[in-house]
Amino acid sequence: MSGVFMGMPSLPVFGDGNLHIDEPFPAAAHRELGNTQMRANLRHATHTIRDKRIKVVGELPDWEELRDAGAATKNQVMANLPALLEEFEKNFTARGGIIHWARDADEANRIVSDLIKEQDTTEVVKVKSMATQEIGLNEYLEEQGISAFETDLAELIVQLGHDKPSHILVPAIHKNRTEVRDIFLAEMPNVDPNLTDEPRLLAMAAREHLRRKFLSAKVAVSGANFALADSGTLAVVESEGNGRMCLTLPETLITVMGIEKLLPAKEDLEVFMQLLPRSSTGERMNPYTSLWTGVTEGDGPQNVHLVMLDNGRTAALADKYGRTALNCIRCSACMNVCPVYERTGGHAYGSTYPGPIGAILSPLLTGIKSEENSSLPYASSLCGACFDACPVKINIPEILVHLRGEDVDSRRGEKKLPSQMDLMMKGAQWAFSSGKNLGLLEKGLPLGKLAAGQDKKIKRLPGIAAGWTQSRDIPAPPSQSFRDWWKKEHQSEATTMKQEK
């Protein structure tokens, strides 16, 4: 049984929800740079995970071959996505599951809310899910009078702290254990007032808090890491075991999953179950890997639903340069090596998806013209560390440059008068179009020496060029150009040789 919308939506269908940032990245980054505690927490955590990853990746002699295989598999999925979605739907529904198709965040939220209300309950337990964060499910359910309890420890910390996640894998990476203890003491019911910041005791307090929810919940909401088209199987990988309890104890299970999470066959898991844990947590294997296929009578949830979410994914798929961003398996390896993310943190990116992958994924899902998302592709030094770390070889720097071009083109179309950048590029085009033009321009070098002053440094430029001199000086130009010097030197040599003859 499947709920399918039969109308023809307008194209492209861009995403909504927690994908749109409301503050330009430079402004948000400047603010976050002042949070020294956050930066210290972030540096410690990312370097720890990064070092663990390097160690376990180095153990595999065929790591690069695994990356190639992962990239090839995901490229195959994107090239054949419609057929694979139909195959998955056929196999999932044949085993008792029910599929719902959601074009955007609003549709997905309404579907999940209606399914929960059908079970006559006002509480649900949740497995960590980027898709539900993307659509703002918790906030929507709260408006409907339904309480959603996060069961992942880091997500629980963020939820109790009335905060937002700042990392794909470790949502509370910006908090240290003392801050976590303070949150528990202030927000967690019936917590021991003498609770210390010892990690073991913090975990025990969270376990006691959540156990009651696990045992009483009638409905659970999850995401999914992978979906196998050949069998209709869903997979969730996690480190704590909370996910497995959500997936097995409640009578009703509702999964929200992006349509790009498909793999063609179960054999493909062999590759991704090696790539994902090493790239994410620096582990050789995931502590908990749960797979389920529809409904099994007398075992686990008997009312199984899957919400297949588009929310801009088909728009991203239509971008021939950016579509490989959909290959992302949400490992966060790119974030742990990114010098920009390490210093600004995830909140500066505004969207559910921070870091290098967020800088390309969010504007691809929403369109480059969406609010302030056009600033995200510039949140990078283009150093390439993210590409080297990505387990499925997404060329993030290349897509960043592509999106910067899309942003420039979109702005050019909106303006009747040329911008400063347009005029500079036109000037450069004229100058470099012929040697004669460049020679004329070089005759103005003495003016540059005058602008430099006695210390022979140009410290301030006007207009758009001011961004360069805000953080660096420009040396005074030479008294003559290289072309003039070359002409003078070689002309004198030729004259000397002629005289000698």
Side-chain angles (χ1 to χ4, degrees), residues 457-501:
K457 293 179 181 179
I458 299 176
K459 297 182 177 181
R460 182 175 299 175
L461 289 174
I464 191 174
W468 178 269
T469 51
Q470 280 180 353
S471 57
R472 56 183 70 81
D473 296 330
I474 300 177
S479 57
Q480 64 177 158
S481 69
F482 174 80
R483 287 153 54 90
D484 287 341
W485 172 86
W486 180 271
K487 183 178 180 180
K488 180 180 178 181
E489 289 293 316
H490 285 266
Q491 187 175 13
S492 61
E493 287 180 9
T495 302
T496 302
M497 291 174 64
K498 185 175 181 179
Q499 291 174 349
E500 290 176 352
K501 289 181 179 180

Side-chain angles (χ1 to χ4, degrees), residues 153-207:
L153 179 55
E155 290 284 6
L156 177 65
I157 293 167
V158 170
Q159 185 178 47
L160 291 177
H162 309 287
D163 200 354
K164 292 183 178 180
S166 63
H167 191 275
I168 287 177
L169 181 70
V170 192
I173 197 171
H174 55 291
K175 298 291 187 184
N176 60 35
R177 64 188 191 181
T178 301
E179 292 171 310
V180 172
R181 179 205 60 192
D182 294 342
I183 290 172
F184 281 10
L185 288 173
E187 301 291 339
M188 188 176 286
N190 304 317
V191 70
D192 182 355
N194 298 315
L195 180 67
T196 69
D197 63 0
E198 183 182 345
R200 181 180 64 87
L201 296 179
L202 294 173
M204 289 176 62
R207 185 179 298 118

Side-chain angles (χ1 to χ4, degrees), residues 157-449:
I157 293 167
V158 170
Q159 185 178 47
L160 291 177
H162 309 287
D163 200 354
K164 292 183 178 180
S166 63
H167 191 275
I168 287 177
L169 181 70
V170 192
I173 197 171
H174 55 291
K175 298 291 187 184
N176 60 35
R177 64 188 191 181
T178 301
E179 292 171 310
V180 172
R181 179 205 60 192
D182 294 342
I183 290 172
F184 281 10
L185 288 173
E187 301 291 339
M188 188 176 286
N190 304 317
V191 70
D192 182 355
N194 298 315
L195 180 67
T196 69
D197 63 0
E198 183 182 345
R200 181 180 64 87
L201 296 179
L202 294 173
M204 289 176 62
R207 185 179 298 118
E208 183 178 352
H209 170 71
L210 291 172
R211 184 72 57 165
R212 294 186 292 269
K213 301 298 180 184
F214 285 131
L215 296 176
S216 62
K218 297 169 65 176
V219 178
V221 176
S222 83
N225 293 95
F226 305 108
L228 309 181
D230 66 339
S231 61
T233 299
L234 294 171
V236 163
V237 296
E238 36 129 3
S239 299
E240 301 169 11
N242 59 294
R244 182 163 296 175
M245 297 186 76
C246 288
L247 298 172
T248 55
L249 290 177
E251 183 70 15
T252 297
L253 174 61
I254 305 168
T255 301
V256 181
M257 183 188 77
I259 57 175
E260 81 281 12
K261 292 298 186 71
L262 290 179
L263 295 178
K266 58 182 179 296
E267 289 79 12
D268 297 311
L269 282 177
E270 176 188 356
V271 172
F272 288 92
M273 288 303 181
Q274 294 183 76
L275 290 173
L276 182 55
R278 284 176 167 82
S279 298
S280 57
T281 56
E283 296 174 296
R284 297 178 182 87
M285 64 181 293
N286 293 293
Y288 294 89
T289 301
S290 301
L291 299 97
W292 69 101
T293 306
V295 176
T296 301
E297 186 176 353
D299 183 14
Q302 299 299 293
N303 189 19
V304 177
H305 297 264
L306 172 62
V307 180
M308 298 288 281
L309 179 68
D310 184 337
N311 206 37
R313 285 159 174 79
T314 49
L317 187 65
D319 188 318
K320 65 179 181 179
Y321 300 105
R323 67 179 55 158
T324 54
L326 295 175
N327 293 357
C328 176
I329 58 174
R330 308 294 192 266
C331 70
S332 75
C334 63
M335 300 165 64
N336 298 328
V337 298
C338 177
V340 176
Y341 173 84
E342 181 183 317
R343 288 158 178 79
T344 64
H347 291 157
Y349 293 81
S351 165
T352 292
Y353 302 106
I357 189 61
I360 61 173
L361 189 58
S362 296
L364 282 167
L365 294 177
T366 65
I368 197 68
K369 295 182 180 180
S370 168
E371 298 182 34
E372 302 295 347
N373 279 15
S374 61
S375 68
L376 289 174
Y378 301 94
S380 171
S381 65
L382 301 180
C383 67
C386 49
F387 179 41
D388 293 337
C390 178
V392 290
K393 291 193 170 182
I394 301 172
N395 195 331
I396 294 177
E398 186 177 86
I399 300 174
L400 285 167
V401 173
H402 160 65
L403 289 173
R404 292 179 185 185
E406 292 282 302
D407 175 47
V408 171
D409 289 342
S410 69
R411 293 176 188 275
R412 184 180 293 119
E414 295 172 355
K415 296 179 179 179
K416 295 181 180 180
L417 296 176
S419 66
Q420 293 182 50
M421 180 62 75
D422 292 333
L423 295 174
M424 288 176 62
M425 292 298 103
K426 280 292 183 183
Q429 182 184 26
W430 175 85
F432 293 113
S433 63
S434 73
K436 182 180 179 180
N437 292 348
L438 187 59
L440 288 172
L441 188 66
E442 289 170 347
K443 292 185 182 300
L445 287 176
L447 295 176
K449 291 179 67 68

